[in-house]
Every structure is written in structure tokens, then in C-alpha cells.
Amino acid sequence: MKLGSQQHDLNSSPGKNLNGSLRKSGSDFLQNNIDASPARSLDGSFRKSNSVISAHSISGISASSQIIPTSRRMYKMLKDFRRKLVDLELFTQSLEDWVLEKSLADPASGKQSFRSPFLMDELCRLDLALEGVLFQQLCRMPCSSYASDDLKEDEFLAVEDFLHAIVNGLWRTFWRKSGPLPFFLSCPRPPGSKFYSVEKAISRGRIDELCGLSLISKTGNDLHAHWDQVMELALFRSEILSGNDLKLSPSSICEALFYGIHVLISRSLSKYCTIGNDSIFVLVFDSKFGGVVKLGGDLGKLEFNSANPCQSVVEWLKCHAEINVSSVDQIWNKLGNASWGDLGTLQVILATFYSIVQWNGPPRKSIASLASDHSLRLQKRRLEYRLIDNGNAPVHFQQASHVQGEIVEVEQSDNPYSRKRASRLKLKQGEILVLEDQSQGQKSFQIQESLALGNHFIYIAVSVDNPTELLTVYVGAHPSRLEPSWEDMSLWYQVQRQTKVLNTLRQEGVSSKYLPEIIASGRILHSGSCKKQTPGGCCDHPLCGTPILVTSPVGEPLSLVLAHDGPLSSEEATRCCRDCLVALRTAALVNVQHGDICPENIICIVNTQGTRSKLSYMPISWGRAVLEDRDSPAINLQFSSSHALQHGKLCPSSDAESLVYLLYFVCGGTMEQVDSIESALQWRERNWAKRSIQQQLGEVSALLKAFADYVDSLCGTPYPVDYEIWLKRLHRAVDGSTDRGKMIEEVAITLRLEDVAESSGTSGGGT
């Protein structure tokens, strides 16, 4: 059936689209976020074949760049081709058997041949990012099972309101909070016909002619809808399921492909469409369920057969197109309300998000940045209900016959088992620790959470006086129990020695937002009577005199971040390098080296400023820091510098060398499991010689590769690291600026710099 021409599509009024200058970068962003390895997708895939391009194909049409026919003849051929491609029924008959075959599960692998447009990880991140976002559908989907004259009208109004809630919520959350939307919704009819609003179609009695809704990009002041400006299509059918299975029926997929190819051809003929990544998301709905079809591919491989254009398109879809089909899930519940947090709705929201990115450029806030706020919201929520549930419950002490793991009150004994058990006490959530600080008096802290790191615990707590700020608490070993095990000595380094190092930095007038800050330090005061003989002594109570250190801020150890989320992105790896290097430079100003850089000793911090949030990184565990020549650093076979492994001492570039190994690891590099210092040194020599470390970092960032080359030239030499020049480059890469307020913003030095250099025997930020 011939439905007329589409002259209005080709005669669209010129005008620059809002944010038009960002479209190319938006397409790059889209490609990076959608195109993914089939091994990690939700299901199978249509894949492009390597079929030979026919001599009759038009090489000037490419889905990867702006498409403008190079001759009037080609233009007329495409226009004629689009005009004839109007018979949906014929198209479905030609393609349905192939789609049905591809929809069946593969007996060998048990997977469908379709690959989902989305990864489950993407949907989970989106779910976390949208926790604080309000989507409100006011027009409910009709839930009556009885047909009525107004049923279809109400259904279209519900779909329109549902899509409007999505695009408005996404734009206000990720792009701009105010101002007009750069797109609008309109209803397409069969190709060749005009677009209508739902209200206009209802008033003219043409609601049955509508095939769904489309998201249209605005062009200047022209509010007319044209096929070449369709950002996303949403088809509405009476039934989309394939039998009793939760997957799209072959006819639904065929209809989505029919309208999708029509949009792609219209874009190729447009004089004003400037998007680079030419793919289209088609949403498919009925009154309960929804799914997503994505169509893309190189239209330059479309072979023209003017006598049978439908067959030409079908062959292109089979051989050259990339078709992705999502699973089908419920969109509206039995009351007609959208299930916003469910899989089906999240797929629709993510498809719409990528469609907006494709046309309007990358968002001001990324999904990852908003999702990172989840941990902060979770911590606050835990704090709220724990304070309510636990009140100010004191630490409980019970007899040794009670449940193992409780904090128990025991008699002093020479039994090694009792001594070891007491030295590894684990505090419970809700317990109150009273700290005697010599400078601040008594302070109380309530335990919120515990993290097991190696052979000791660190705790997340709040001050009873100020329960809104989360703090890190280190609990040491009882003074009488330091000798029996190296494990207790590690607690001594974690608490007493780290307290000394941080106090030294503070006394020297050094502070930085990339260094931990001491909130309180001292000894635990236990409940009940204390029988200590002297003010500085302790009684036989298992907690009496136990040292404690409280610092700020709170963050998640990098080792746990990597275990949960995998390697860091290029941006985050560069930020990690910059933040750690600032901390090392700050400490080096007063002759302090960290001595134990490793993933467990770097924390990832969520910084929230207003509605924005970003991550930062901070070296912690300064207990093994080297303050003077006689101090020995920690020996870590994977991350210690070569000089530290060979001589048990640090050279001026040792911390920087450890930082390079850390960056290599967080960027996906493989750390060989070594069991001796000799094998660890061999691994370093072999990888530096082969430049394996630089090659791995080069795949992530050219700047990190250059930094590794620089550190390689310093390893084992007496020359100090030139922190200033590398921080200047890293600031530019991370923040786009080299002006960081010099020493004022990053480090406050009350000593004069010449005094620092004189006392350290170095200049220019040496170690």
C-alpha cells in the first residue's frame, strides 16, 4: 500500500540544534558505553558478517560518520528507495522467519542469538544512580480487562506521560536542572505520513493510525516533527510477547526494525542531521510489558534494487546490520503504575539516556558519579537506624563461658591462647568506646562498621557528640601483649607508630586534604572500676590502656574497590596517581616517606559538594613511614621498591616506584605471585627490561606511561623526585588546570620553605 511522499522530511527548515556542537562527542560516548563484548551481555547477539560489498552499494553512506550523498543521482535513489519502503506487512513476511530462527535458543550454548543492548552491570549502576531521582507518571495505564472506546486513547496518553517523565527526569538529573527541554514527544504514523500529538490524533479520530510515540530533537524554533530528527522510537502494540515466553515476538521485532531502518535512511538524506553514531533505539510496549531493540550498521553496504526495495533491506539486515534485542519485563503493575526500579523500566530509561547522549552530548553528571553516592547514602542510612536501634549502648563484657567472639572480661593469665584471644578482640556495631585523650580529655565514639584488613580490623565510627561525621578508628594491642606475636606488633605500627608519624607531620606544620587527620588519640577507658596503680599504667582488664587512634576521613580501601568493580578507568587511575603524589610530596617536604604503598593502604573517598560528587584517593597507614635513617619500611613482595627489597631502606624515589606498581595493578596489570625477595626482584628486573609496566599503563594513559618512564630512570639513585613538574601535568589532566593555588589549597606550611629545605638537606621538594 502506497501512503504518499515525505517531502516535508526533506524540506525541514534549517537551524542549529541545541547543543549541536556536542553531538560528535556524544556519539563517541554512546559508542563506548553501549558497544560491549558479547561475553558480558545479558544474552546472545546478531553479529555483522564479513559479506563482500556489492559493486552497486553506495560507499558514501556510512553509519560511523555524517552521511551526505555525494551526487544528486544518489540522493534521488535514496529518496526513491525510502518512498517505496512503506509496506510493513510485506516487510514482516520477508523477515519474520529469519527473526524467528534467530530468536530460538542455541542448543549448544543454551543462549539466544540476540545480544542485549545493555550489560547487567550498566543497569545496576543506573539503578544506584537513580536512587534519589523522582520519576512520576500521572496518567496511569488502563488496567481494565474490558475493551472500551476510550481504552486506546487512555493507553497512548499513559505511554506519553511515562516517556515524558523519563526524559524530563533524565535531563534534569544529568544535564540541566532548568530551562526548556531540547526535545519533545510526537506520534508517528506509517512512513510517509505526518506526525500528530496524541491530543490532535484523538480530536481527529485518528488514534488507530498511530504506531506509537517518538522523541524528536528540536531544530531552532521549528516544532514540526520530521523523521530525520527522531532520537528514539516507542512502538505501542496490543501484544508484544512471543507466546508465554518473556521475549519479544518476531512480528514485534520486525516492526521495530521496519521503523528503525526508516529512521536511519531519513537521517542519511538529511541536510541537518549531524550525529555521528547512526544507530537507533526502538522501544516496544504493550499495556503491561516492554522491551528494547537497537539497530545500527553501515548503510553503505545497502544494495539497491529499485524493483524490490524490501528485499534489499532484508538482505542488509541479515548480512550487515547489528541488531540487539533486550529481554522483556513488566513495565506497568496491576494498578497501572510504572515499576520504576524494575529491570524492564531500567532498560527503557537507559536506552533513552543513550539516545539523549547521542544527540545532545555527554551529561554534566555521569551515571558512575551518581552511583558512587550510593555508598554515602547507605552509610548515612545505617547511621540513622543504628543510632535509633542501639541508642548509647555501652560495650558489653561477659564471662569467658559465653559466646566466642564477645568482648570478655578475663583474669590475667599466662595461657598463650587467652593472651592471643584478648589481643584480637573484635568490636561490635553499636558499642561505645570511651577514649582518654591527654589534650582533649574524654571522648566517646560509637562503632558503626568493621573492616577486616589482613590480620587486623579497622572500624568506622561516629563521635557521640557529633554523630553526623564518619570517622576511622584503629584499635591497638594491649600494652602487655606486644611481645608474643608479630601480629600484635603490626597493630603497634598501625596505632602507636602511625599516631607518632601523623603528630610529627602536624607539629611540623604540614597538612593536606590528601593526608589523614588525627581527630583523637589516647587510651581506652573501660567500664567498671579500674585498679591501675599509676596514671599511665593499666589494670588486668583486657581493654585497660589499649591504645586507640581516630582519624578522618572515611573511605573504602582500594583493594576492596578493585575486588568489587575491577580495574580503574583512565580518569580515575590518573586521579589516583595525582592524589597520592600530592600526599607523598607533602610528606617529603619534612623528610617523611610513606614506606608501605599498596592497595590496602590507599582509600577511595566519596566527596560530595552540593549535588555533585567525585572520588578522591588518600594514602593511609603511615605507621611504617620513614622519619630517620634508622627506620625500616615495610617489605611487600609485590609493591615495595627494588631498593627497599635489596637493602631494607628507602631511596628518595622508593615511594614513587611503589606508586607505579600500584598504578600498574589498578589498571589491570598482572602481579606475579612471588614467594621470596629474590623472585620479587627478578620480576621487577624482567618487567622493567621488557617495558611491560609502561606498555600496560600506556593503554590507559600516555601521561601515566611517561611517569613510569621517569620513575624507571630514578630507581635506586640518590636523586629526588621532581614532584612539582609531574603534579603540574597531572593537575592539568585531572582538573583541566595547572593553577591549584600552589601550596595554599593542597598543603599549609607554617614553617618557612627555606627552613624545611635546610632541615631536610634537599631542595625543590626532594625527599
Side-chain angles (χ1 to χ4, degrees):
M1 181 176 64
K2 187 174 181 180
L3 297 177
S5 66
Q6 294 174 303
Q7 186 174 0
H8 61 282
D9 287 343
L10 302 176
N11 297 329
S12 303
S13 61
K16 184 177 180 181
N17 200 345
L18 295 180
N19 298 329
S21 61
L22 294 177
R23 282 177 173 173
K24 188 176 188 304
S25 62
S27 66
D28 296 339
F29 178 90
L30 179 70
Q31 187 175 4
N32 293 336
N33 280 275
I34 296 178
D35 297 340
S37 169
R40 296 184 59 202
S41 59
L42 294 172
D43 43 37
S45 65
F46 281 74
R47 300 305 301 166
K48 292 183 289 186
S49 70
N50 294 323
S51 303
V52 178
I53 300 177
S54 169
H56 298 287
S57 65
I58 300 178
S59 60
I61 302 175
S62 172
S64 61
S65 62
Q66 182 178 350
I67 303 168
I68 301 177
T70 58
S71 71
R72 183 176 297 275
R73 180 175 176 273
M74 290 182 181
Y75 183 88
K76 289 183 177 180
M77 287 178 64
L78 284 173
K79 182 179 177 182
D80 182 65
F81 192 86
R82 182 186 59 178
R83 179 176 57 83
K84 293 180 179 179
L85 187 65
V86 293
D87 194 333
L88 174 60
E89 183 177 351
L90 177 61
F91 179 86
T92 302
Q93 290 175 357
S94 303
L95 190 64
E96 191 169 16
D97 289 342
W98 180 78
V99 170
L100 178 61
E101 178 184 349
K102 290 293 183 179
S103 300
L104 298 176
D106 184 358
S109 63
K111 295 183 179 179
Q112 291 183 330
S113 298
F114 290 100
R115 179 166 65 94
S116 173
F118 317 111
L119 305 177
M120 183 58 75
D121 289 346
E122 289 180 295
L123 297 170
C124 290
R125 282 196 299 268
L126 179 66
D127 180 42
L128 297 179
L130 297 178
E131 279 180 339
V133 180
L134 175 64
F135 293 101
Q136 188 175 21
Q137 180 181 357
L138 299 179
C139 296
R140 270 50 172 186
M141 179 62 69
C143 51
S144 173
S145 59
Y146 300 98
S148 66
D149 295 337
D150 299 332
L151 179 62
K152 191 165 186 178
E153 298 176 3
D154 293 339
E155 288 175 339
F156 265 87
L157 289 171
V159 174
E160 181 186 44
D161 193 52
F162 171 70
L163 294 176
H164 173 76
I166 290 176
V167 297
N168 185 70
L170 288 175
W171 185 258
R172 302 304 180 199
T173 301
F174 292 96
W175 279 269
R176 295 181 180 274
K177 287 189 173 182
S178 59
L181 297 175
F183 35 72
F184 61 96
L185 291 168
S186 189
C187 298
R189 295 190 293 158
S193 304
K194 293 182 179 179
F195 285 74
Y196 279 160
S197 66
V198 177
E199 292 81 1
K200 186 176 181 179
I202 293 174
S203 65
R204 297 192 177 186
R206 294 185 172 180
I207 193 72
D208 290 332
E209 298 180 13
L210 303 183
C211 60
L213 290 103
S214 57
L215 186 62
I216 307 293
S217 176
K218 290 180 181 178
T219 302
N221 296 322
D222 182 14
L223 295 181
H224 291 90
H226 306 294
W227 282 97
D228 61 335
Q229 293 169 263
V230 172
M231 302 167 59
E232 179 184 64
L233 269 172
L235 302 180
F236 187 78
R237 295 165 54 95
S238 59
E239 179 68 43
I240 65 171
L241 293 181
S242 179
N244 295 324
D245 298 330
L246 281 178
K247 62 181 182 179
L248 288 175
S249 65
S251 62
S252 299
I253 296 175
C254 289
E255 184 174 357
L257 297 177
F258 176 78
Y259 285 101
I261 187 64
H262 190 80
V263 171
L264 296 184
I265 294 175
S266 297
R267 289 179 184 175
S268 72
L269 290 170
S270 175
K271 300 177 182 179
Y272 311 110
C273 180
T274 59
I275 65 169
N277 188 320
D278 213 348
S279 60
I280 178 72
F281 284 97
V282 183
L283 315 178
V284 187
F285 298 113
D286 60 20
S287 61
K288 293 182 180 179
F289 300 97
V292 179
V293 176
K294 181 196 170 191
L295 172 63
D298 185 358
L299 285 177
K301 299 177 181 178
L302 178 60
E303 300 181 7
F304 281 85
N305 181 354
S306 58
N308 193 350
C310 181
Q311 188 60 35
S312 297
V313 171
V314 168
E315 290 302 319
W316 180 82
L317 289 169
K318 291 180 179 180
C319 299
H320 304 292
E322 183 168 356
I323 303 169
N324 305 97
V325 181
S326 76
S327 60
V328 174
D329 217 300
Q330 185 171 350
I331 302 293
W332 291 279
N333 61 26
K334 294 181 179 180
L335 295 178
N337 298 307
S339 304
W340 292 110
D342 214 345
L343 178 64
T345 310
L346 287 173
Q347 291 182 147
V348 172
I349 294 174
L350 190 56
T352 306
F353 176 86
Y354 286 150
S355 298
I356 297 175
V357 170
Q358 185 181 21
W359 283 79
N360 295 92
R364 293 186 173 187
K365 302 175 184 177
S366 67
I367 291 177
S369 65
L370 289 185
S372 65
D373 290 342
H374 169 75
S375 59
L376 182 62
R377 291 191 291 266
L378 184 61
Q379 287 175 343
K380 289 182 177 179
R381 174 64 59 83
R382 287 174 174 172
L383 176 60
E384 290 172 2
Y385 67 69
R386 284 173 186 166
L387 287 178
I388 294 174
D389 292 345
N390 297 322
N392 290 330
V395 180
H396 298 289
F397 297 96
Q398 298 183 0
Q399 298 298 320
S401 59
H402 285 71
V403 179
Q404 184 176 0
E406 297 274 16
I407 296 180
V408 295
E409 183 174 8
V410 297
E411 295 294 330
Q412 189 170 6
S413 171
D414 291 332
N415 186 336
Y417 172 77
S418 299
R419 293 163 67 94
K420 184 158 182 84
R421 181 183 178 189
S423 69
R424 297 186 62 187
L425 295 175
K426 179 182 177 182
L427 303 178
K428 290 184 176 181
Q429 296 175 359
E431 293 177 345
I432 301 293
L433 289 180
V434 181
L435 166 67
E436 182 182 24
D437 190 306
Q438 292 183 352
S439 60
Q440 304 181 64
Q442 292 187 11
K443 299 179 73 69
S444 299
F445 300 92
Q446 185 179 49
I447 302 299
Q448 302 297 312
E449 192 175 350
S450 63
L451 292 175
L453 293 179
N455 54 13
H456 64 273
F457 292 95
I458 63 173
Y459 300 92
I460 309 301
V462 294
S463 170
V464 173
D465 298 329
N466 180 24
T468 59
E469 181 184 5
L470 294 173
L471 304 169
T472 303
V473 175
Y474 302 90
V475 178
H478 194 277
S480 64
R481 300 183 176 90
L482 287 178
E483 295 182 4
S485 71
W486 285 106
E487 187 173 295
D488 293 328
M489 284 303 298
S490 70
L491 293 178
W492 180 85
Y493 279 107
Q494 191 71 266
V495 181
Q496 289 100 311
R497 185 61 174 19
Q498 183 172 201
T499 301
K500 175 185 177 181
V501 173
L502 295 181
N503 275 327
T504 298
L505 293 174
R506 183 166 60 180
Q507 291 164 6
E508 295 287 353
V510 175
S511 65
S512 169
K513 65 180 181 180
Y514 300 107
L515 289 174
E517 176 188 1
I518 291 184
I519 302 300
S521 64
R523 304 200 304 173
I524 293 179
L525 294 177
H526 61 85
S527 60
S529 59
C530 182
K531 301 178 181 179
K532 62 183 178 182
Q533 302 297 321
T534 62
C538 58
C539 66
D540 57 359
H541 193 283
L543 285 180
C544 185
T546 298
I548 185 173
L549 172 63
V550 183
T551 65
S552 176
V554 165
E556 186 176 12
L558 192 53
S559 56
L560 298 183
V561 173
L562 297 174
H564 295 160
D565 303 329
L568 299 185
S569 65
S570 172
E571 178 185 355
E572 289 306 317
T574 306
R575 185 185 301 277
C576 179
C577 180
R578 191 277 304 271
D579 295 354
C580 292
L581 213 58
V582 171
L584 297 179
R585 189 276 306 270
T586 304
L589 288 170
V590 288
N591 261 5
V592 175
Q593 291 179 272
H594 187 280
D596 195 12
I597 297 293
C598 63
E600 290 76 18
N601 292 338
I602 307 293
I603 59 173
C604 179
I605 306 162
V606 178
N607 300 303
T608 303
Q609 298 177 349
T611 58
R612 301 183 61 185
S613 64
K614 65 178 182 179
L615 301 179
S616 63
Y617 301 86
M618 175 184 293
I620 59 170
S621 299
W622 287 79
R624 299 308 299 257
V626 173
L627 305 180
E628 48 192 16
D629 290 340
R630 65 180 181 179
D631 294 335
S632 298
I635 298 300
N636 187 312
L637 295 180
Q638 290 185 318
F639 296 99
S640 288
S641 68
S642 299
H643 196 271
L645 292 176
Q646 283 181 304
H647 306 288
K649 299 290 182 181
L650 299 183
C651 70
S653 63
S654 286
D655 278 346
E657 183 181 345
S658 294
L659 179 58
V660 170
Y661 298 142
L662 174 79
L663 294 171
Y664 172 76
F665 179 66
V666 303
C667 290
T670 302
M671 303 296 291
E672 184 178 316
Q673 295 299 319
V674 293
D675 54 6
S676 67
I677 290 179
E678 181 181 2
S679 59
L681 289 170
Q682 290 173 352
W683 180 89
R684 284 156 175 75
E685 182 179 3
R686 183 170 61 252
N687 281 273
W688 283 118
K690 293 181 177 180
R691 295 181 56 80
S692 302
I693 296 172
Q694 291 96 320
Q695 290 173 7
Q696 177 68 33
L697 294 178
E699 295 178 2
V700 176
S701 166
L703 182 57
L704 295 183
K705 178 183 179 182
F707 178 66
D709 276 325
Y710 171 74
V711 172
D712 185 23
S713 69
L714 291 180
C715 288
T717 70
Y719 302 111
V721 177
D722 189 343
Y723 289 105
E724 301 304 325
I725 189 171
W726 286 103
L727 286 176
K728 182 178 180 180
R729 295 171 181 173
L730 289 165
H731 284 321
R732 185 186 300 117
V734 173
D735 300 317
S737 172
T738 59
D739 183 10
R740 302 293 297 164
K742 304 299 179 183
M743 312 298 279
I744 303 224
E745 178 181 349
E746 296 168 343
V747 54
I749 306 292
T750 56
L751 291 176
R752 293 180 308 170
L753 292 181
E754 56 266 29
D755 293 339
V756 174
E758 181 179 337
S759 65
S760 63
T762 64
S763 62
T767 56

